[in-house]
């Protein structure tokens, strides 16, 4: 299983802080995992649009082509801004 975490506004909009996804060929990259989860329904698709998110794999900021394996932790969160 891949442990998927949602933070900040992503968590608020989805109403979920964590889900578990079965590892598969379709989820072998951060992008593949994101796409599979986003396909759940229209709301999830909008919230999990790749251009609105950052991703971390095993607590390291990562790119969308980062490999994801069974047992990994993947977090999705909005870009952080401040001032």
């Amino acid at each position: 299983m891949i442990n998927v975490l949602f933070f900040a506004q992503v968590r608020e909009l989805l109403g979920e802080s964590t889900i578990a996804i079965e590892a598969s060929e379709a989820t072998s990259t951060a992008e593949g995992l994101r796409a599979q989860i986003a396909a759940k329904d229209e709301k999830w698709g909008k919230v999990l649009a790749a251009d609105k998110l950052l991703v971390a794999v095993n607590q390291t900021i990562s790119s969308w082509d980062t490999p994801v394996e069974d047992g990994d932790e993947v977090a999705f969160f909005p870009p952080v801004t401040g001032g």
Side-chain angles (χ1 to χ4, degrees):
M1 295 297 266
I2 300 166
N3 189 31
V4 182
L5 308 173
F6 304 110
F7 289 100
Q9 186 179 19
V10 176
R11 178 182 59 217
E12 293 170 16
L13 291 171
L14 294 178
E16 299 277 351
S17 60
T18 184
I19 61 173
I21 299 291
E22 189 73 35
S24 69
E25 189 173 325
T27 63
S28 64
T29 64
E31 170 55 23
L33 178 64
R34 184 210 60 79
Q36 182 167 329
I37 298 168
K40 182 174 180 172
D41 67 27
E42 186 176 341
K43 176 180 88 170
W44 286 68
K46 286 181 181 180
V47 174
L48 295 176
D51 63 339
K52 299 178 184 177
L53 290 178
L54 294 176
V55 62
V57 177
N58 297 322
Q59 301 180 5
T60 301
I61 298 289
S62 302
S63 65
W64 292 109
D65 61 352
T66 299
V68 176
E69 299 176 345
D70 190 38
D72 283 350
E73 176 186 89
V74 178
F76 295 111
F77 51 96
V80 178
T81 60

